[in-house]
Amino acid sequence: MYSQPYKNPELVETLGRLLSQQILVLDGAMGTMIQALDLGEADFRGERFSDHPLPLQGNNDLLTLTQADKIAAIHRGFLQAGADLIETNTFNSTSISQADYGMESLVRELNFAAAQLARREVDRCAAQAPGEPPGKQRYVVGSLGPTNRTASLSPDVNRPDFRNISFEELRASYLEAAGGLIAGGCDILMVETIFDTLNCKAALIAIDDAFSMAGSRLPVMISGTITDASGRTLSGQTVAAFWHSVRHARPLAIGLNCALGATELRPWLRELAQIAECPVSVHPNAGLPNELGEYDDSPEHMA
């Protein structure tokens, strides 16, 4: 895969060197930071979407357009806390996920605007940060989430053969999103929270298509999700099977995120690290949710 030359070979060389020397810190959760803002329906709509026929509260990615200053402030806070990698606010910026809100037509704009917003904050931090080592770099990671559909499993327990999404539909949706992220100025693309490896394969092929259209490529990170103590993805793959299913993409890093807390995720991360041929990433949940749906792990415990 990815026959196109790198857009910025020097950046790729720098990332490789840094990953061999130190741990690079990815920013924290976007969703919970947005929840803490306690925004209402009017905040999500802004003036531009005041007459949209469907409810928009909860469409966090839309805030890139309607509350750009608030999303920029979240990026800025993570940069000030020392993050090396800043993810775009695009976890649900595919036509498949945005269909819930009737906003499929905005996908290209959402991805482009989110990449530019993160790029602006990263560049501003590099220019203004006092007391940092000379030449310290921060990087923009374009987030491609899993969508709310699965290509491998039926959503109907009584119809195991039924699928509510096709591989080609996923591929087309990811292509549109990836194109916006690339045009917006991302340094890296990350396919994350992968619960179905077939979805991931559609994303990886779409990314390859986007690179061909752009005439150059970016580094790609891949991060899967272990859903329970069995150590398998939702579609049934072990950690080892997941790695061997995606290693052809020659990722910059392979990792695990979401679902489990740091303690529960650690053995599966160790297994992945033993077989992966590239650096390994991890960004776990703050433990498993308690009976109130809240998370109890402290920053100290996660560290």
Side-chain angles (χ1 to χ4, degrees):
M1 293 187 74
Y2 310 146
S3 58
Q4 300 296 324
Y6 279 113
K7 179 179 180 180
N8 188 341
E10 293 78 13
L11 179 145
V12 178
E13 183 180 349
T14 299
L15 283 170
R17 185 181 71 254
L18 289 173
L19 287 168
S20 70
Q21 297 172 347
Q22 66 188 75
I23 294 172
L24 295 183
V25 179
L26 188 68
D27 60 3
M30 176 63 75
T32 48
M33 294 297 289
I34 289 174
Q35 288 175 2
L37 297 175
D38 196 25
L39 302 176
E41 180 72 24
D43 299 304
F44 280 84
R45 287 178 176 272
E47 293 184 11
R48 179 176 172 184
F49 304 105
S50 59
D51 297 328
H52 190 73
L54 297 178
L56 295 178
Q57 186 169 355
N59 188 0
N60 290 347
D61 296 17
L62 182 61
L63 297 173
T64 299
L65 304 180
T66 59
Q67 302 289 337
D69 290 347
K70 290 181 171 58
I71 300 302
I74 293 172
H75 288 324
R76 202 175 307 127
F78 283 130
L79 286 164
Q80 291 169 352
D84 299 293
L85 306 169
I86 295 294
E87 284 194 76
T88 55
N89 181 36
T90 54
F91 187 80
N92 288 305
S93 291
T94 58
S95 58
I96 296 167
S97 296
Q98 286 299 312
D100 290 350
Y101 303 96
M103 304 202 106
E104 302 96 316
S105 63
L106 289 176
V107 166
R108 173 83 180 192
E109 182 181 359
L110 286 171
N111 285 278
F112 181 81
Q116 286 208 312
L117 186 64
R119 173 89 272 151
R120 185 161 62 247
E121 291 305 317
V122 164
D123 292 345
R124 181 181 297 167
C125 179
Q128 297 178 355
E132 288 197 346
K136 179 176 174 63
Q137 297 291 312
R138 313 295 184 97
Y139 304 95
V140 176
V141 180
S143 172
L144 292 160
T147 82
N148 52 11
R149 301 291 178 95
T150 168
S152 293
L153 304 172
S154 171
D156 186 345
V157 68
N158 296 312
R159 300 170 61 194
D161 61 321
F162 174 67
R163 300 292 184 271
N164 60 6
I165 194 74
S166 71
F167 187 91
E168 286 304 320
E169 287 172 322
L170 283 162
R171 178 179 180 177
S173 183
Y174 276 121
L175 174 60
E176 184 180 21
L181 292 171
I182 293 168
C186 288
D187 299 307
I188 301 165
L189 297 183
M190 177 160 66
V191 186
E192 64 173 318
T193 319
I194 300 160
F195 58 82
D196 183 343
T197 307
L198 194 57
N199 285 38
C200 177
K201 285 179 176 289
L204 293 174
I205 290 176
I207 289 170
D208 198 16
D209 293 340
F211 290 164
S212 295
M213 293 168 65
S216 61
R217 64 179 169 129
L218 304 177
V220 175
M221 295 173 64
I222 300 172
S223 185
T225 292
I226 300 301
T227 55
D228 56 35
S230 70
R232 293 176 180 267
T233 64
L234 186 65
S235 56
Q237 280 195 314
T238 63
V239 169
F242 173 63
W243 160 249
H244 287 291
S245 295
V246 300
R247 63 188 292 265
H248 65 282
R250 292 175 287 149
L252 173 71
I254 183 82
L256 301 173
N257 76 283
C258 199
L260 303 178
T263 300
E264 297 85 1
L265 201 53
R266 186 166 185 161
W268 312 119
L269 185 71
R270 182 182 295 114
E271 180 180 342
L272 181 61
Q274 289 171 347
I275 59 175
E277 299 159 359
C278 61
V280 169
S281 68
V282 60
H283 44 297
N285 272 2
L288 294 169
N290 59 29
E291 61 273 11
L292 299 177
E294 298 174 345
Y295 294 87
D296 299 322
D297 278 4
S298 66
E300 292 77 18
H301 176 78
M302 293 188 73

